[in-house]
Amino acid sequence: MAFDIEMIKKVYAAYPERIAAARATVNKPLTLAEKILYTHLWKGSASEAYTRGESYVDFAPDRVAMQDATAQMALLQFMQAGKDKVAVPSTTHADHLIQARLGASKDLQEGINKNNEVFNFLSSVCDKYGIGFWKPGAGIIHQVVLENYAFPGGLMIGTDSHTVNAGGLGMVAIGVGGADAVDVMADMAWELKFPKLIGVKLTGKLSGWTAPKDVILKLAGILTVKGGTGCIVEYFGEGAVSLSATGKGTICNMGAEIGATTSTFGYDDSMRRYLNATDRADVVVLADKVAEHLTGDTEVYANPEKYFDQVIEINLSELTPHINGPFTPDLATPVAEMKEKAAANGWPIEVEWALIGSCTNSSYEDLTRAASIVEDAVNKGIQPKSILGINPGSEQVRFTAERDGLIDTFNKFESTKIFTNACGPCIGQWARPGAEKQEKNTIVHSFNRNFAKRADGNPNTHAFVTSPEMVAAIAISGRLDFNPITDTLTNDKGEQVMLAEPTGSELPSNGFAVEDNGYQAPAADGSAIEVVVNPDSKRLQLLSPFAPWDGENILGAKLLIKAEGKCTTDHISMAGPWLQYRGHLDNISNNCLIGAVNAFGGAINSVKSQLDGSVDEVPKVARTYKAAGVLSVVVGDHNYGEGSSREHAAMEPRHLGVCAVIVKSFARIHETNLKKQGMLGLTFSAEADYNLVQEADTFNFTDLAAFAPGKQLSLDLVHADGSTDSIKLNHTYNTQQIEWFKAGSALNLIKTQNAL
Ligand code: MIC
Ligand code: SF4
């Protein structure tokens, strides 16, 4: 039986009436994304049609998911909201903090020992406030959500950018910062700008070496890392129906890499099969009753150009395997072209590690397909040249894979490492031997992100993203440019042999099994539970409210850093070794912007203080400004804050006295995170004004008192020679968000509202 079935019943019971209301107001055939959004309005049934890409709308998500690295900050904020219990079903998943080093059993125990304080904190907060807790080793948040909580037509938010994975089961699932999760858990509306819609029509059928992953690798190449910003991607067509639910999950998962708000698929048989296999026949019965509402209207899919803002068609029968990277997930190369491209770019060909796992690709089907390649290689007498590392997505997948002999198959390669059911190398939780030497090298993996330093901390590691079956093939050949469709390998008899095409099972023929899934239900009455945070802790710190705006123009602010080029949340607040401080704002602030490239001179983590001309690390200079009572400003390039949902990337600069972040463009989640924390997140009205900003500038905001929706703000950049450039800044703040700025943060506002 499914968790929270009563909630699901209520959602479906409201569907017919709410869809009817939406039809009456929108007055045209509806996409699936619109159906889900219009049935989840905070105010109930629709009474007005919203403008995509413009209207801010209040929604009522059905559930919330959090992972250990972001839950700490989310829950520290929730604890301040003055509530006894969460308002909607919510869960926390311990998956990001366990390091991959020696292999599953040792690493898990080590992870528990090392993070005990944080796990205990999370477990007791969850217990107290009615939140389900998935213990370390239970699995990766998005795989666990897909297996247990996702349901067609639902709306959920999660404090992780890959929450979008649940689109594989036909949800609209959106990654957010912790402060957004607090809104929903505290029984308030959750606001989102009504997204634009991209329709992706999938025709044909996958075969051979091509996998669901290739759909999104290809799409990332077409749309780039920002092409999906502000959009929901809706997949449809016969090709969509032919994919498994977990394959759909993979595609939706990596929608985060094109900046999409989320991605989704209509309810179909693959979802029924998956729900049934994961013990949720009850959800199937309910969903079937409203099945017509859980997919886009026929007219929409017949004439997509009329109903979507953009339409892309991909023919699965013609799609070939891809490898994306290095350093960015949108640099797409068909496997057949890799030889030429790698040579031309000087990418190291030899591959030392090949990793399968992450929330993107760690399903049972993924493991069976990869295992079939390993089995074939073993049968043909081929030894692997790279080390194969595997992180199963959940304990249920791992247990079943072990029962069905898949783990044994992987272990037929002596060097294989089976790591914990956790994020591991995907988030830099990987003690890779020799990484500290910082040698130029290549790894391939089935994860979603491949930003510099992400997996092993080495800036010279060229990480490439591909499907699990291609990862297995590359592990065997040891070469980045290996094309299993055309290339041979030498076996132990000296013969030239080819790898057979992968085969797999969508679902285990004997059903899923698990002994201990790692779930801890919260106390029915948590009022007596005390959450203790040691004031001397290095890892947890209770939050103090940020100061409200004093009502005056901000004058005399200094430039902290003008960041040039790619500045992702990994550049702003690195993960890996810093994950340990995710619950301690002051300590984690020591990683603030240490990965960003200084536009003046190109150095990393080195900026000039305008107080005394000294050059120092970014957080140190920020702290000297703060100590001197001088506010500071961060300037950035395009798609600033791309990547993670971590609100630390907004809270750290806020904590260090940065008042405004001014960029050419923002990634969606980061922009909201800045607003929530009471910062000014602004964009240059003329992109070229970025070039006017000089290192020693003083920033004067001259009309903050007139801060209003849709009205530009004015900024004087006073240069060192006394000259001034007056420029205009755009913003997307609505009235409510301006109130957050005034109150010092959204949380400050909630607290005053709750006190009334
Ligand atoms: C990631 O994949 O970057 C993460 C780690 O899962 C993040 C969340 C985090 O920074 O904790 C995400 O994607 O939101
Ligand atoms: Fe974990 Fe990686 Fe997925 Fe983020 S992308 S949730 S770090 S497995």
Side-chain angles (χ1 to χ4, degrees):
M1 180 170 123
F3 284 95
D4 308 309
I5 192 73
E6 290 308 315
M7 175 271 283
I8 298 176
K9 259 187 209 157
K10 257 172 72 189
V11 172
Y12 287 152
Y15 248 92
E17 188 199 312
R18 290 197 178 180
I19 291 279
R23 285 198 193 289
T25 38
V26 178
N27 210 11
K28 64 176 174 57
L30 297 170
T31 61
L32 169 63
E34 287 168 311
K35 290 184 186 179
I36 300 179
L37 293 173
Y38 277 106
T39 49
H40 285 85
L41 299 175
W42 177 253
K43 62 177 184 197
S45 288
S47 52
E48 66 185 294
Y50 299 107
T51 312
R52 297 178 192 166
E54 259 175 51
S55 314
Y56 278 102
V57 181
D58 280 346
F59 291 103
D62 302 317
R63 57 180 316 122
V64 173
M66 293 163 280
Q67 41 88 344
D68 49 3
T70 49
Q72 299 172 58
M73 212 37 103
L75 294 173
L76 282 164
Q77 293 178 80
F78 180 74
M79 285 162 64
Q80 295 205 0
K83 297 282 177 186
D84 297 334
K85 215 172 168 41
V86 288
V88 302
S90 306
T91 51
T92 296
H93 304 256
D95 56 359
H96 280 61
L97 297 178
I98 302 151
Q99 200 185 43
R101 196 164 77 90
L102 300 168
S105 55
K106 292 206 180 84
D107 294 349
L108 178 59
Q109 195 46 53
E110 222 169 73
I112 293 173
N113 297 346
K114 233 165 98 187
N115 298 292
N116 212 10
E117 182 186 4
V118 171
F119 291 148
N120 285 342
F121 167 76
L122 291 175
S123 151
S124 65
V125 179
C126 289
D127 211 14
K128 180 170 179 67
Y129 295 106
I131 303 170
F133 181 57
W134 290 79
K135 294 184 274 191
I140 306 174
I141 172 171
H142 312 301
Q143 179 67 32
V144 174
V145 166
L146 200 71
E147 276 171 16
N148 295 281
Y149 299 114
F151 64 98
L155 176 69
M156 74 176 278
I157 60 165
T159 61
D160 189 283
S161 59
H162 293 105
T163 303
V164 293
N165 189 68
L169 267 184
M171 285 197 109
V172 163
I174 301 183
V176 297
D180 284 47
V182 172
D183 289 349
V184 177
M185 294 188 296
D187 206 11
M188 294 179 6
W190 172 69
E191 185 193 70
L192 179 75
K193 191 186 272 181
F194 203 91
K196 292 195 165 187
L197 303 176
I198 300 179
V200 178
K201 180 171 183 183
L202 300 179
T203 58
K205 198 169 186 315
L206 293 175
S207 65
W209 283 89
T210 312
K213 181 72 156 248
D214 296 304
V215 175
I216 188 65
L217 294 180
K218 167 92 185 164
L219 194 64
I222 298 172
L223 285 174
T224 79
V225 287
K226 53 183 182 12
T229 308
C231 299
I232 294 188
V233 183
E234 181 167 328
Y235 294 86
F236 61 95
E238 85 220 4
V241 178
S242 72
L243 299 166
S244 65
T246 50
K248 291 179 168 89
T250 297
I251 295 171
C252 292
N253 179 297
M254 260 193 87
E257 275 53 57
I258 54 171
T261 302
T262 191
S263 310
T264 194
F265 283 81
Y267 180 51
D268 66 15
D269 258 341
S270 71
M271 298 183 192
R272 283 189 191 95
R273 291 194 296 274
Y274 188 72
L275 286 166
N276 280 324
T278 49
D279 202 17
R280 286 174 289 170
D282 47 352
V283 177
V284 175
V285 170
L286 295 173
D288 279 346
K289 288 193 196 135
V290 287
E292 63 180 299
H293 302 314
L294 304 179
T295 189
D297 285 344
T298 323
E299 298 92 311
V300 168
Y301 294 159
N303 294 298
E305 284 77 16
K306 267 173 81 181
Y307 303 102
F308 290 100
D309 299 287
Q310 186 182 352
V311 177
I312 295 171
E313 188 168 328
I314 298 178
N315 183 341
L316 302 184
S317 306
E318 288 166 8
L319 186 66
T320 61
H322 279 64
I323 300 185
N324 288 21
F327 305 123
T328 185
D330 57 351
L331 186 53
T333 304
V335 165
E337 292 166 26
M338 188 48 106
K339 282 196 181 60
E340 212 178 306
K341 201 150 158 197
N345 287 286
W347 297 332
I349 294 300
E350 209 177 295
V351 176
E352 198 190 338
W353 278 89
L355 303 154
I356 293 175
S358 94
C359 54
T360 329
N361 272 119
S362 53
S363 65
Y364 185 82
E365 182 176 36
D366 288 333
L367 296 189
T368 54
R369 286 178 63 85
S372 79
I373 314 283
V374 171
E375 188 71 47
D376 185 51
V378 171
N379 292 341
K380 290 178 174 156
I382 317 170
Q383 279 304 313
K385 302 278 186 332
S386 323
I387 309 170
L388 190 58
I390 298 193
N391 285 81
S394 70
E395 175 57 10
Q396 174 160 288
V397 164
R398 189 209 64 78
F399 190 94
T400 312
E402 177 153 61
R403 180 200 66 191
D404 294 352
L406 302 174
I407 305 284
D408 285 345
T409 303
F410 290 125
N411 280 328
K412 287 185 185 166
F413 289 162
E414 229 171 89
S415 53
T416 296
K417 284 257 179 294
I418 307 287
F419 295 123
T420 315
N421 315 318
C423 302
C426 178
I427 188 57
Q429 289 287 26
W430 184 24
R432 178 181 178 189
E436 67 293 344
K437 288 189 250 155
Q438 306 222 332
E439 286 163 353
K440 185 170 171 182
N441 76 100
T442 288
I443 61 171
V444 294
H445 58 60
S446 72
F447 312 161
N448 41 35
R449 290 197 174 137
N450 54 354
F451 303 141
K453 297 212 255 182
R454 181 168 166 102
D456 64 0
N458 173 2
N460 303 315
T461 292
H462 291 50
F464 291 85
V465 180
T466 189
S467 66
E469 32 281 72
M470 271 306 299
V471 172
I474 290 178
I476 292 160
S477 68
R479 290 180 67 92
L480 173 68
D481 58 0
F482 176 68
N483 182 357
I485 301 170
T486 52
D487 297 352
T488 57
L489 295 164
T490 315
N491 72 2
D492 51 6
K493 297 199 197 87
E495 298 158 347
Q496 292 300 301
V497 290
M498 284 185 83
L499 291 176
E501 285 176 356
T503 55
S505 323
E506 178 184 292
L507 295 161
S509 47
N510 292 324
F512 281 108
V514 67
E515 243 159 40
D516 174 7
N517 65 3
Y519 176 69
Q520 174 190 296
D525 174 6
S527 55
I529 297 167
E530 229 190 298
V531 178
V532 204
V533 172
N534 176 350
D536 297 327
S537 169
K538 300 237 167 342
R539 300 197 54 180
L540 295 166
Q541 181 186 41
L542 294 173
L543 292 169
S544 347
F546 293 128
W549 178 51
D550 63 6
E552 302 292 326
N553 277 324
I554 295 175
L555 302 174
K558 293 293 179 190
L559 180 70
L560 176 58
I561 183 170
K562 176 173 167 180
E564 186 178 66
K566 210 174 184 57
C567 193
T568 70
T569 42
D570 281 356
H571 297 81
I572 306 171
S573 174
M574 195 190 170
W578 291 91
L579 283 174
Q580 58 181 312
Y581 299 120
R582 282 287 183 87
H584 196 296
L585 183 55
D586 193 49
N587 283 346
I588 196 155
S589 294
N590 290 330
N591 80 358
C592 186
L593 284 155
I594 62 176
V597 177
N598 184 348
F600 303 103
I604 289 173
N605 199 16
S606 169
V607 290
K608 193 173 195 175
S609 160
Q610 296 308 320
L611 295 177
D612 59 8
S614 62
V615 172
D616 212 331
E617 293 165 10
V618 183
K620 290 206 175 127
V621 171
R623 285 189 195 274
T624 57
Y625 285 137
K626 185 178 177 182
V630 174
L631 291 173
S632 56
V633 171
V634 170
V635 170
D637 223 306
H638 270 302
N639 209 20
Y640 182 89
E642 145 189 10
S644 155
S645 65
R646 61 191 76 141
E647 63 201 321
H648 305 77
M651 293 179 89
E652 293 175 25
R654 175 79 166 110
H655 175 66
L656 295 179
V658 175
C659 60
V661 178
I662 308 171
V663 300
K664 291 185 188 166
S665 64
F666 280 112
R668 175 189 61 89
I669 306 179
H670 186 63
E671 184 180 18
T672 308
N673 285 345
L674 289 171
K675 291 177 178 175
K676 287 254 159 174
Q677 301 303 335
M679 301 263 272
L680 292 170
L682 309 167
T683 51
F684 293 105
S685 62
E687 259 174 37
D689 288 352
Y690 171 90
N691 301 326
L692 297 175
V693 177
Q694 296 170 21
E695 199 173 16
D697 281 355
T698 298
F699 292 70
N700 296 331
F701 293 85
T702 55
D703 52 9
L704 269 185
F707 193 7
K711 188 172 171 295
Q712 292 182 323
L713 286 174
S714 310
L715 172 69
D716 285 350
L717 292 169
V718 184
H719 307 304
D721 64 2
S723 65
T724 299
D725 277 303
S726 297
I727 63 170
K728 292 285 181 203
L729 302 170
N730 290 343
H731 70 82
T732 59
Y733 287 72
N734 60 21
T735 314
Q736 158 90 0
Q737 295 168 340
I738 292 174
E739 291 307 311
W740 300 343
F741 166 72
K742 291 183 178 164
S745 71
L747 187 59
N748 287 353
L749 198 67
I750 301 185
K751 279 198 290 186
T752 36
Q753 286 166 349
N754 279 343
L756 296 178

